[in-house]
Amino acid sequence: MTEANLIGEIPRNLSGMPAMELLDLSVNKITGTIPSDLFLLKNLTQVYLYANHLTGGIPDAIEAMNMQIIDLSANNLTGKIPDGFGNLMSLTNLTLMINQLSGELPAGIARLPNLHDIRIFINNLSGEFSPDFGRYSDLNIFDVAQNNFSGNLPENLCFRGQLKGLEVYENSLSG
């Protein structure tokens, strides 16, 4: 199989693809913003847009409630992590590392029952962690290094005894 580098932008109107379950456009030369209707595709379960040249924010409107994997890492995304990600009860992997995201980590993400892997390192995220991280899911990886988080580590991080990877360096943590 040969590899091809896609150049250009993601189509602006994805509503004509309602049956789409998987979108993988990773490791290309895609520019522009993430289409505002991407997470409105109700059958979408996996999104891989890592290692492109995407800019702008992550769309706030979310109806893809069966989403399992979101990987938007290694782009130039700005703005905040949508609060709606905290409603994705099937989400297992959230990978937003190596971007320019800012603001706080939505507390609802900490209560997701299937979240195993959260990698949000190398961003400009700040605030304190919800103490619920690790309490409601078998959290394996918690990588939040190189941000501006403050306060203590989540008190329930190891609650289920599944944590295998913890990286929190270069923050403003205390306690």
Side-chain angles (χ1 to χ4, degrees), residues 134-169:
R135 174 173 233 147
Y136 298 103
S137 68
D138 292 334
L139 194 60
N140 292 314
I141 304 289
F142 189 74
D143 191 342
V144 299
Q146 293 181 274
N147 277 290
N148 298 306
F149 289 114
S150 58
N152 297 322
L153 284 175
E155 62 189 61
N156 292 301
L157 203 53
C158 301
F159 185 76
R160 293 183 174 236
Q162 299 298 313
L163 193 65
K164 295 176 184 168
L166 173 64
E167 294 191 41
V168 298
Y169 61 89

Side-chain angles (χ1 to χ4, degrees), residues 9-171:
E9 294 188 2
I10 301 170
R12 294 293 98 198
N13 185 353
L14 298 176
S15 61
M17 300 179 222
M20 186 184 312
E21 295 178 15
L22 171 104
L23 176 63
D24 186 348
L25 298 174
S26 54
V27 192
N28 279 291
K29 297 177 181 174
I30 297 172
T31 59
T33 59
I34 297 172
S36 61
D37 59 349
L38 175 63
F39 295 114
L40 296 180
L41 299 172
K42 293 181 181 180
N43 291 318
L44 196 60
T45 61
Q46 299 176 49
V47 172
Y48 301 94
L49 295 175
Y50 65 87
N52 278 292
H53 303 285
L54 295 169
T55 58
I58 300 171
D60 285 330
I62 299 171
E63 292 181 13
M65 291 301 157
N66 294 316
M67 185 66 66
Q68 298 169 0
I69 298 171
I70 298 173
D71 189 342
L72 308 177
S73 59
N75 280 289
N76 296 305
L77 298 174
T78 56
K80 65 183 190 94
I81 297 172
D83 289 333
F85 280 10
N87 297 325
L88 300 175
M89 295 299 155
S90 297
L91 193 66
T92 61
N93 294 62
L94 180 60
T95 309
L96 304 174
M97 62 196 185
I98 314 172
N99 276 294
Q100 299 168 32
L101 299 171
S102 58
E104 295 187 2
L105 187 56
I109 292 173
R111 293 186 290 275
L112 295 175
N114 294 299
L115 188 64
H116 296 145
D117 190 332
I118 181 166
R119 298 175 197 230
I120 55 174
F121 61 89
I122 309 178
N123 275 291
N124 298 310
L125 297 167
S126 59
E128 295 188 6
F129 299 114
S130 167
D132 290 331
F133 272 107
R135 174 173 233 147
Y136 298 103
S137 68
D138 292 334
L139 194 60
N140 292 314
I141 304 289
F142 189 74
D143 191 342
V144 299
Q146 293 181 274
N147 277 290
N148 298 306
F149 289 114
S150 58
N152 297 322
L153 284 175
E155 62 189 61
N156 292 301
L157 203 53
C158 301
F159 185 76
R160 293 183 174 236
Q162 299 298 313
L163 193 65
K164 295 176 184 168
L166 173 64
E167 294 191 41
V168 298
Y169 61 89
E170 292 188 38
N171 278 289

